[in-house]
Amino acid sequence: MAPPKPGAASTITMTAYSLVGTGSNPTVTVQLSGTPSLGPINVLAGLFQLNTTAGTLYGFCVDLFHPIQVPTTYTVAPVAAAGDPTPGGAPVDFPLNTTQLQQINWLTLAAQAEAATLTAIRSAAYQLDVWEVAYGSAFSWSSTAASTITPELTAISNALSAANLSAMPIPIGLTAVDAQGLAIPRQSLVVGNPIPEPASLAVLGAGLLGLGFAARRRPTVC
């Protein structure tokens, strides 16, 4: 599936998902400070493999306000913001600038490239770095596995800081919609751009992330 052109949108349906990484996926306590605020809430952080009608892709959660639900239909379009863009109240958007978007795409593609060998701890570190880029100083986290997550997070952050992002495109976002194509309050996702074609997916052997839920609830998986 080729990524859409800016301003264009298609739809896919997520039918199943799983966390990527060997070992036990760590529980992470996350929260957002300021206005709006969130948490603290407990989530399972990591790269997700998502089975969709477009094939199996990789991706990350960019929305801390909703947990996973299947099946969910999504519009596919370039990412513009993190947070909760759904119409269940005033949008809780965190607009993302070009640099943030390029960094998130780099993290998603880098994690995808490592998918076959990722540990659950390193998978969680990639997700935490995505949230740190998206939410900045408003975001904080803690975990009983912090002593093993932190070195991985530091290594990933250092690699990101050293990366040349001048030609990096912005990532592809998934926004949950109803049968009429109207946005609904379920979790927003981000996948790498370019999205691999089916033949490439077979070689990479992999998946995406997905999340959603019909009501605002404290997520148990992110």
Side-chain angles (χ1 to χ4, degrees):
M1 172 180 163
K5 296 178 181 179
S10 58
T11 61
I12 63 173
T13 299
M14 178 184 69
T15 57
Y17 66 89
S18 59
L19 282 162
V20 176
T22 57
S24 299
N25 291 96
T27 299
V28 179
T29 302
V30 301
Q31 64 184 93
L32 297 177
S33 61
T35 304
S37 62
L38 173 78
I41 54 174
N42 294 326
V43 298
L44 290 176
L47 180 69
F48 277 83
Q49 175 176 305
L50 181 64
N51 297 334
T52 79
T53 51
T56 306
L57 303 172
Y58 292 107
F60 286 111
C61 157
V62 288
D63 169 7
L64 288 169
F65 295 85
H66 304 98
I68 294 176
Q69 179 171 291
V70 290
T72 298
T73 298
Y74 298 93
T75 58
V76 182
V79 175
D84 172 21
T86 60
V92 185
D93 284 344
F94 285 76
L96 301 174
N97 61 36
T98 299
T99 298
Q100 288 173 295
L101 291 167
Q102 289 175 319
Q103 290 174 331
I104 290 171
N105 198 40
W106 185 93
L107 289 166
T108 306
L109 293 174
Q112 175 178 313
E114 294 184 34
T117 58
L118 271 182
T119 64
I121 293 296
R122 187 168 176 84
S123 182
Y126 269 113
Q127 174 67 89
L128 288 169
D129 210 356
V130 168
W131 285 329
E132 288 186 348
V133 168
Y135 295 103
S137 59
F139 176 78
S140 60
W141 69 277
S142 62
S143 174
T144 56
S147 62
T148 53
I149 295 174
T150 299
E152 296 283 12
L153 179 57
T154 299
I156 292 167
S157 297
N158 289 343
L160 174 59
S161 296
N164 181 358
L165 302 179
S166 60
M168 180 66 62
I170 66 174
I172 299 300
L174 306 182
T175 300
V177 293
D178 62 16
Q180 287 71 48
L182 300 176
I184 56 176
R186 298 184 185 175
Q187 193 155 38
S188 300
L189 319 173
V190 60
V191 297
N193 181 12
I195 299 175
E197 296 294 338
S200 300
L201 291 173
V203 173
L204 292 170
L208 156 87
L209 125 115
L211 301 94
F213 200 59
R216 288 181 182 274
R217 287 175 42 188
R218 297 165 68 87
T220 56
V221 178
C222 226

PDB file of all heavy atoms in Angstrom, residues 54-68:
ATOM      1  N   ALA A  54      -4.987  -3.734   4.689  1.00  0.00           N
ATOM      2  CA  ALA A  54      -3.922  -3.308   3.776  1.00  0.00           C
ATOM      3  C   ALA A  54      -2.681  -4.167   3.944  1.00  0.00           C
ATOM      4  O   ALA A  54      -1.655  -3.910   3.321  1.00  0.00           O
ATOM      5  CB  ALA A  54      -3.576  -1.848   4.017  1.00  0.00           C
ATOM      6  N   GLY A  55      -2.735  -5.178   4.800  1.00  0.00           N
ATOM      7  CA  GLY A  55      -1.574  -6.001   5.091  1.00  0.00           C
ATOM      8  C   GLY A  55      -1.128  -5.815   6.526  1.00  0.00           C
ATOM      9  O   GLY A  55      -1.805  -5.190   7.336  1.00  0.00           O
ATOM     10  N   THR A  56       0.030  -6.360   6.848  1.00  0.00           N
ATOM     11  CA  THR A  56       0.589  -6.288   8.193  1.00  0.00           C
ATOM     12  C   THR A  56       1.648  -5.200   8.232  1.00  0.00           C
ATOM     13  O   THR A  56       2.564  -5.199   7.431  1.00  0.00           O
ATOM     14  CB  THR A  56       1.206  -7.634   8.591  1.00  0.00           C
ATOM     15  OG1 THR A  56       0.231  -8.652   8.430  1.00  0.00           O
ATOM     16  CG2 THR A  56       1.685  -7.608  10.035  1.00  0.00           C
ATOM     17  N   LEU A  57       1.486  -4.246   9.163  1.00  0.00           N
ATOM     18  CA  LEU A  57       2.369  -3.091   9.246  1.00  0.00           C
ATOM     19  C   LEU A  57       2.858  -2.897  10.671  1.00  0.00           C
ATOM     20  O   LEU A  57       2.361  -3.531  11.597  1.00  0.00           O
ATOM     21  CB  LEU A  57       1.624  -1.830   8.769  1.00  0.00           C
ATOM     22  CG  LEU A  57       1.030  -1.860   7.364  1.00  0.00           C
ATOM     23  CD1 LEU A  57       0.159  -0.620   7.140  1.00  0.00           C
ATOM     24  CD2 LEU A  57       2.128  -1.932   6.319  1.00  0.00           C
ATOM     25  N   TYR A  58       3.848  -2.009  10.849  1.00  0.00           N
ATOM     26  CA  TYR A  58       4.346  -1.639  12.171  1.00  0.00           C
ATOM     27  C   TYR A  58       3.918  -0.227  12.524  1.00  0.00           C
ATOM     28  O   TYR A  58       3.814   0.624  11.646  1.00  0.00           O
ATOM     29  CB  TYR A  58       5.865  -1.646  12.201  1.00  0.00           C
ATOM     30  CG  TYR A  58       6.531  -2.982  12.080  1.00  0.00           C
ATOM     31  CD1 TYR A  58       7.188  -3.330  10.902  1.00  0.00           C
ATOM     32  CD2 TYR A  58       6.533  -3.881  13.134  1.00  0.00           C
ATOM     33  CE1 TYR A  58       7.839  -4.539  10.786  1.00  0.00           C
ATOM     34  CE2 TYR A  58       7.184  -5.094  13.022  1.00  0.00           C
ATOM     35  CZ  TYR A  58       7.837  -5.420  11.848  1.00  0.00           C
ATOM     36  OH  TYR A  58       8.485  -6.619  11.728  1.00  0.00           O
ATOM     37  N   GLY A  59       3.789   0.055  13.803  1.00  0.00           N
ATOM     38  CA  GLY A  59       3.507   1.433  14.175  1.00  0.00           C
ATOM     39  C   GLY A  59       3.481   1.650  15.675  1.00  0.00           C
ATOM     40  O   GLY A  59       3.654   0.723  16.468  1.00  0.00           O
ATOM     41  N   PHE A  60       3.265   2.893  16.057  1.00  0.00           N
ATOM     42  CA  PHE A  60       3.258   3.308  17.456  1.00  0.00           C
ATOM     43  C   PHE A  60       1.996   4.093  17.789  1.00  0.00           C
ATOM     44  O   PHE A  60       1.362   4.697  16.929  1.00  0.00           O
ATOM     45  CB  PHE A  60       4.469   4.196  17.767  1.00  0.00           C
ATOM     46  CG  PHE A  60       5.762   3.460  17.860  1.00  0.00           C
ATOM     47  CD1 PHE A  60       6.740   3.637  16.900  1.00  0.00           C
ATOM     48  CD2 PHE A  60       5.996   2.579  18.904  1.00  0.00           C
ATOM     49  CE1 PHE A  60       7.947   2.962  16.989  1.00  0.00           C
ATOM     50  CE2 PHE A  60       7.190   1.898  19.002  1.00  0.00           C
ATOM     51  CZ  PHE A  60       8.172   2.089  18.045  1.00  0.00           C
ATOM     52  N   CYS A  61       1.689   4.109  19.071  1.00  0.00           N
ATOM     53  CA  CYS A  61       0.627   4.945  19.607  1.00  0.00           C
ATOM     54  C   CYS A  61       1.117   6.395  19.675  1.00  0.00           C
ATOM     55  O   CYS A  61       2.227   6.652  20.126  1.00  0.00           O
ATOM     56  CB  CYS A  61       0.296   4.430  21.002  1.00  0.00           C
ATOM     57  SG  CYS A  61      -0.476   5.596  22.113  1.00  0.00           S
ATOM     58  N   VAL A  62       0.298   7.336  19.205  1.00  0.00           N
ATOM     59  CA  VAL A  62       0.592   8.750  19.434  1.00  0.00           C
ATOM     60  C   VAL A  62      -0.483   9.404  20.293  1.00  0.00           C
ATOM     61  O   VAL A  62      -0.389  10.577  20.612  1.00  0.00           O
ATOM     62  CB  VAL A  62       0.740   9.549  18.120  1.00  0.00           C
ATOM     63  CG1 VAL A  62       2.024   9.188  17.413  1.00  0.00           C
ATOM     64  CG2 VAL A  62      -0.466   9.356  17.213  1.00  0.00           C
ATOM     65  N   ASP A  63      -1.483   8.636  20.674  1.00  0.00           N
ATOM     66  CA  ASP A  63      -2.642   9.139  21.415  1.00  0.00           C
ATOM     67  C   ASP A  63      -2.713   8.410  22.757  1.00  0.00           C
ATOM     68  O   ASP A  63      -2.955   7.214  22.803  1.00  0.00           O
ATOM     69  CB  ASP A  63      -3.895   8.880  20.575  1.00  0.00           C
ATOM     70  CG  ASP A  63      -5.197   9.116  21.318  1.00  0.00           C
ATOM     71  OD1 ASP A  63      -5.169   9.612  22.457  1.00  0.00           O
ATOM     72  OD2 ASP A  63      -6.252   8.806  20.746  1.00  0.00           O
ATOM     73  N   LEU A  64      -2.479   9.132  23.835  1.00  0.00           N
ATOM     74  CA  LEU A  64      -2.498   8.534  25.171  1.00  0.00           C
ATOM     75  C   LEU A  64      -3.895   8.492  25.782  1.00  0.00           C
ATOM     76  O   LEU A  64      -4.056   8.023  26.899  1.00  0.00           O
ATOM     77  CB  LEU A  64      -1.574   9.327  26.096  1.00  0.00           C
ATOM     78  CG  LEU A  64      -0.074   9.159  25.846  1.00  0.00           C
ATOM     79  CD1 LEU A  64       0.703  10.205  26.642  1.00  0.00           C
ATOM     80  CD2 LEU A  64       0.385   7.766  26.206  1.00  0.00           C
ATOM     81  N   PHE A  65      -4.903   8.964  25.053  1.00  0.00           N
ATOM     82  CA  PHE A  65      -6.221   9.141  25.642  1.00  0.00           C
ATOM     83  C   PHE A  65      -7.175   7.972  25.425  1.00  0.00           C
ATOM     84  O   PHE A  65      -8.247   7.939  26.003  1.00  0.00           O
ATOM     85  CB  PHE A  65      -6.854  10.433  25.100  1.00  0.00           C
ATOM     86  CG  PHE A  65      -6.119  11.672  25.519  1.00  0.00           C
ATOM     87  CD1 PHE A  65      -5.022  12.120  24.800  1.00  0.00           C
ATOM     88  CD2 PHE A  65      -6.501  12.371  26.647  1.00  0.00           C
ATOM     89  CE1 PHE A  65      -4.327  13.251  25.194  1.00  0.00           C
ATOM     90  CE2 PHE A  65      -5.815  13.508  27.050  1.00  0.00           C
ATOM     91  CZ  PHE A  65      -4.719  13.951  26.321  1.00  0.00           C
ATOM     92  N   HIS A  66      -6.812   7.015  24.561  1.00  0.00           N
ATOM     93  CA  HIS A  66      -7.700   5.887  24.273  1.00  0.00           C
ATOM     94  C   HIS A  66      -6.908   4.589  24.146  1.00  0.00           C
ATOM     95  O   HIS A  66      -5.810   4.591  23.603  1.00  0.00           O
ATOM     96  CB  HIS A  66      -8.470   6.114  22.966  1.00  0.00           C
ATOM     97  CG  HIS A  66      -9.244   7.388  22.944  1.00  0.00           C
ATOM     98  ND1 HIS A  66      -8.776   8.534  22.341  1.00  0.00           N
ATOM     99  CD2 HIS A  66     -10.443   7.706  23.474  1.00  0.00           C
ATOM    100  CE1 HIS A  66      -9.651   9.504  22.495  1.00  0.00           C
ATOM    101  NE2 HIS A  66     -10.674   9.029  23.185  1.00  0.00           N
ATOM    102  N   PRO A  67      -7.462   3.460  24.600  1.00  0.00           N
ATOM    103  CA  PRO A  67      -6.802   2.159  24.438  1.00  0.00           C
ATOM    104  C   PRO A  67      -7.208   1.453  23.139  1.00  0.00           C
ATOM    105  O   PRO A  67      -7.982   1.977  22.335  1.00  0.00           O
ATOM    106  CB  PRO A  67      -7.286   1.377  25.660  1.00  0.00           C
ATOM    107  CG  PRO A  67      -8.644   1.940  25.925  1.00  0.00           C
ATOM    108  CD  PRO A  67      -8.596   3.390  25.520  1.00  0.00           C
ATOM    109  N   ILE A  68      -6.671   0.260  22.947  1.00  0.00           N
ATOM    110  CA  ILE A  68      -6.901  -0.517  21.721  1.00  0.00           C
ATOM    111  C   ILE A  68      -8.301  -1.104  21.676  1.00  0.00           C
ATOM    112  O   ILE A  68      -8.844  -1.509  22.698  1.00  0.00           O
ATOM    113  CB  ILE A  68      -5.889  -1.671  21.640  1.00  0.00           C
ATOM    114  CG1 ILE A  68      -4.470  -1.135  21.481  1.00  0.00           C
ATOM    115  CG2 ILE A  68      -6.208  -2.627  20.507  1.00  0.00           C
ATOM    116  CD1 ILE A  68      -3.423  -2.200  21.491  1.00  0.00           C
TER     117      ILE A  68
END
